[in-house]
Amino acid sequence: MNQNQAERLQAERKKIENEFDITQYEHVPRRYYGRIFFATLIVVALAGLARAFANGQIEWGYIGQFLTSEAILWGLLNTIIMSILAMLLGVIIGVITAIMRMSANPILRYVAITYTWLFRGTPLILQLLLWFNLALIFPVIGIPGLFQLDTVSLMTPFVAALLGLSINQGAYTAEVVRAGLLSVDTGQYEAAKSIGMPRLQALRRVILPQAMRVIIPPVGNEFIGMVKMTSLASVIQYSELLHNAQNIYYANARVMELLIVAGIWYLAVVTVLSFGQSRLELRFARGAGKRS
Amino acid sequence: MRSIVKAVGLNKYYDQFHALKDVSIEVEQGEVLCIIGPSGSGKSTLLRCVNQLEKIDKGGLWVDGELVGYRIVGNKLHELNDAQIARQRLSTGMVFQRFNLFPHMTALQNVVEGPIQVLKRSPKEANEEAIELLARVGLADKRHSYPVELSGGQQQRVAIARALAMRPKLMLFDEPTSALDPELVGEVLSVMRDLAHSGMTMIVVTHELGFAREVSNRMVFMDGGQIVEAGSPEDILISPQNPRTQSFISAVRT
């Protein structure tokens, strides 16, 4: 830039500044009266709610007492075990179903589609009852000539709950996994092949780690959902948290107190899980660019 | 000279579309072949057939003396299985238009992935060699960067290093500079030029006529799924015989 041009730019700037000389004025932020009004309203409502609970006929002492009682803690442990096992099995079923669903073989594909349709299309509680009562139609199960088992003794509440929850979960997870696999660019398959990877290795080393970024948030949500869905297993006598809490209040009639106890534990488990989920998401976000 | 690639009467269909029509071509060891032609002419398809990203419908293709994708049984060709195809791909390296680096791995991890996971080489040895390769493409200092943190030109150079890490006998380049900003084309071409001078056998699908003229031993012009004209770079670029070649060259030049 030469001397002349610089001077001209300077002169132009001066002219503009003289014309609109508000450069020294103070900026006053706008006030949001609507927001202030509604925030006040909510605070008042919450205060009323707190007062109602404080004056309600709740024996707070019972809650503290039963929170760590043996039956409740056993129920909690059973809930956690069932959530983990059912979710694990559900994810395995889901991955297999997703891969079947994307197969070129029409039989594999349609079996996967039908499975998803059937188990997403019926209520979970109905499925649990079906598994639990399987002995009514099949007194013995097994492979003819190989082994046979008495259905009643096999289909304990634990087994029925595990089958019901995981097979139902698998149908949902299959769709999540499929979306995850489809989200990976076909160029990634080609690049993996081009360095000599067979299909399974490409899936394990290249495709799945990238699909995980898409899969983890919804599967995390479903895990949280699973923790709460295990409570449905109380209808088939699986002694999880809610079932044990109910057993106690059938005896002592402290219904609300025990429901609150169960609620506190469900919340605690879910909180821990949410924390774990965000850690896992960070891990699989490697190389995914900077995002908030 | 030994031939590395030999294609005899290749045909390829996408449903009704006849993408390759009786293509026959031979590439000798150490040769750099550039393929040019309008889009949809089948040049990328031909390249992708060489390392079996596309399946051939008719004809035969030999890479390094081995029939690609099939086993001859009597007078029939039986398709090979996944593992056999994967093994055959080891003789070729491929560089893609869109780089296709693994985004969840650093530059170094991208380069060592094949040697460690596929060739089962020791991580220490593979890492050392990978760093050398990254230095060769001028990116030793970027080895811990993820692909998102690299420019297009840098990503493509890592992709070249990744392909070289498998010690291929043949390198395939599918429009390696077409997705790059103009100012980044030079750095990739310069890496490819060095590679060509080192004696690597290369097949390059490209629109960079200047590069093709400087580096290639032989050029092929394709149109409508056929090889229309083949010859030295001077033959094709300066005195093309076929009218389709002539009009393509003059259209690209302007």
Side-chain angles (χ1 to χ4, degrees):
Chain A
M1 211 186 314
N2 62 34
Q3 191 71 28
N4 233 336
Q5 267 178 316
E7 269 171 28
R8 221 175 316 135
L9 263 177
Q10 193 66 33
E12 193 141 331
R13 199 192 138 113
K14 269 263 159 55
K15 189 171 155 246
I16 294 170
E17 279 176 358
N18 284 337
E19 228 172 299
F20 305 98
D21 192 14
I22 60 167
T23 51
Q24 303 305 316
Y25 291 13
E26 189 193 350
H27 288 223
V28 181
R30 157 185 174 198
R31 312 211 56 161
Y32 295 90
Y33 294 106
R35 291 180 197 175
I36 294 167
F37 174 73
F38 281 110
T40 317
L41 212 63
I42 287 167
V43 167
V44 170
L46 285 179
L49 202 63
R51 188 164 164 272
F53 266 92
N55 296 336
Q57 292 169 8
I58 298 173
E59 291 290 340
W60 293 101
Y62 273 103
I63 293 177
Q65 184 189 330
F66 280 103
L67 200 60
T68 52
S69 72
E70 209 184 317
I72 291 292
L73 289 182
W74 274 115
L76 174 66
L77 186 67
N78 282 338
T79 290
I80 292 173
I81 289 173
M82 180 56 68
S83 304
I84 293 173
L85 289 181
M87 197 63 202
L88 214 63
L89 208 56
V91 168
I92 292 170
I93 295 171
V95 170
I96 294 170
T97 309
I99 292 172
M100 280 170 66
R101 176 84 197 259
M102 292 160 81
S103 166
N105 183 314
I107 292 181
L108 295 183
R109 207 165 58 235
Y110 282 109
V111 165
I113 291 172
T114 309
Y115 158 70
T116 310
W117 170 74
L118 200 61
F119 286 88
R120 279 204 314 190
T122 50
L124 175 58
I125 196 158
L126 182 142
Q127 292 172 32
L128 286 169
L129 290 167
L130 281 176
W131 288 112
F132 191 52
N133 294 305
L134 204 62
L136 295 177
I137 48 171
F138 305 125
V140 286
I141 47 176
I143 298 171
L146 265 179
F147 70 95
Q148 289 208 318
L149 289 166
D150 196 11
T151 309
V152 175
S153 56
L154 176 76
M155 209 42 87
T156 60
F158 176 81
V159 172
L162 183 60
L163 281 176
L165 290 168
S166 62
I167 291 175
N168 180 266
Q169 186 58 51
Y172 284 92
T173 310
E175 288 299 289
V176 172
V177 172
R178 192 168 72 97
L181 292 176
L182 288 176
S183 76
V184 181
D185 187 62
T186 51
Q188 292 292 313
Y189 288 91
E190 292 182 349
K193 284 180 185 170
S194 80
I195 58 167
M197 285 190 175
R199 201 193 317 261
L200 268 180
Q201 194 177 31
L203 205 62
R204 190 170 56 82
R205 295 287 310 173
V206 175
I207 307 304
L208 274 179
Q210 293 179 60
M212 285 305 253
R213 206 163 53 78
V214 176
I215 292 172
I216 281 178
V219 166
N221 277 338
E222 295 194 348
F223 197 177
I224 286 168
M226 173 64 82
V227 171
K228 294 174 293 172
M229 279 199 301
T230 54
S231 64
L232 289 177
S234 61
V235 300
I236 56 167
Q237 315 307 319
Y238 178 62
S239 74
E240 47 73 58
L241 186 51
L242 182 65
H243 183 257
N244 287 8
Q246 284 176 321
N247 276 349
I248 297 173
Y249 72 60
Y250 290 146
N252 70 4
R254 288 288 164 199
V255 177
M256 285 304 269
E257 286 82 353
L258 278 147
L259 288 178
I260 290 172
V261 164
I264 289 172
W265 278 119
Y266 281 118
L267 263 179
V269 174
V270 167
T271 306
V272 171
L273 281 181
S274 316
F275 181 71
Q277 181 184 359
S278 49
R279 294 289 299 268
L280 214 57
E281 277 175 27
L282 274 184
R283 182 175 148 65
F284 280 100
R286 277 174 312 171
K290 287 160 197 70
R291 294 211 245 164
S292 55
Chain B
M1 276 305 225
R2 212 162 68 88
S3 90
I4 291 278
V5 177
K6 188 171 179 181
V8 181
L10 290 192
N11 278 280
K12 169 79 191 167
Y13 295 86
Y14 296 107
D15 293 324
Q16 298 300 310
F17 181 65
H18 200 169
L20 289 178
K21 297 174 188 161
D22 265 326
V23 173
S24 297
I25 195 169
E26 198 165 359
V27 182
E28 287 175 349
Q29 190 163 28
E31 200 176 17
V32 177
L33 174 77
C34 283
I35 305 177
I36 59 170
S39 61
S41 61
K43 52 194 195 310
S44 284
T45 306
L46 175 60
L47 199 70
R48 291 161 60 84
C49 283
V50 173
N51 77 341
Q52 305 187 59
L53 291 178
E54 305 289 349
K55 219 159 65 181
I56 303 158
D57 292 314
K58 208 164 186 336
L61 180 71
W62 285 262
V63 173
D64 199 25
E66 198 177 345
L67 180 64
V68 148
Y70 295 91
R71 190 164 29 102
I72 300 175
V73 181
N75 59 353
K76 292 200 168 111
L77 294 177
H78 287 224
E79 214 176 306
L80 296 181
N81 68 29
D82 195 38
Q84 291 165 324
I85 291 173
R87 188 188 54 76
Q88 285 192 334
R89 286 203 183 99
L90 292 178
S91 55
T92 59
M94 175 118 182
V95 175
F96 300 88
Q97 181 178 357
R98 308 278 321 278
F99 331 134
N100 296 352
L101 288 182
F102 305 133
H104 57 303
M105 300 180 190
T106 62
L108 183 62
Q109 287 167 340
N110 264 281
V111 179
V112 298
E113 179 68 11
I116 294 176
Q117 297 295 330
V118 179
L119 302 178
K120 310 291 180 202
R121 295 180 48 200
S122 85
K124 186 173 170 292
E125 208 182 276
N127 269 295
E128 283 168 8
E129 197 175 303
I131 291 171
E132 267 171 45
L133 278 171
L134 284 172
R136 188 168 156 194
V137 299
L139 290 171
D141 56 325
K142 294 284 186 190
R143 60 180 176 272
H144 297 305
S145 301
Y146 283 97
V148 273
E149 299 159 347
L150 300 173
S151 73
Q154 290 170 332
Q155 287 189 53
Q156 193 60 298
R157 287 187 280 154
V158 173
I160 293 173
R162 175 176 70 180
L164 289 176
M166 301 302 286
R167 298 177 178 165
K169 296 185 171 140
L170 164 73
M171 284 285 283
L172 308 173
F173 293 85
D174 189 3
E175 302 195 26
T177 57
S178 298
L180 294 175
D181 290 337
E183 77 273 21
L184 303 176
V185 169
E187 61 191 66
V188 172
L189 291 183
S190 124
V191 166
M192 290 171 62
R193 193 176 292 123
D194 290 346
L195 195 59
H197 291 153
S198 77
M200 175 62 78
T201 312
M202 294 161 62
I203 304 180
V204 186
V205 170
T206 187
H207 294 298
E208 300 288 336
L209 299 188
F211 171 81
R213 180 171 183 191
E214 177 196 349
V215 172
S216 67
N217 310 96
R218 204 148 55 89
M219 284 186 72
V220 159
F221 172 71
M222 286 184 74
D223 193 15
Q226 289 171 309
I227 292 180
V228 174
E229 195 164 351
S232 73
E234 284 73 24
D235 292 341
I236 301 291
L237 295 172
I238 297 168
S239 49
Q241 301 301 308
N242 190 292
R244 279 193 281 175
T245 319
Q246 289 164 355
S247 71
F248 177 77
I249 300 288
S250 65
V252 173
R253 276 276 156 75
T254 50

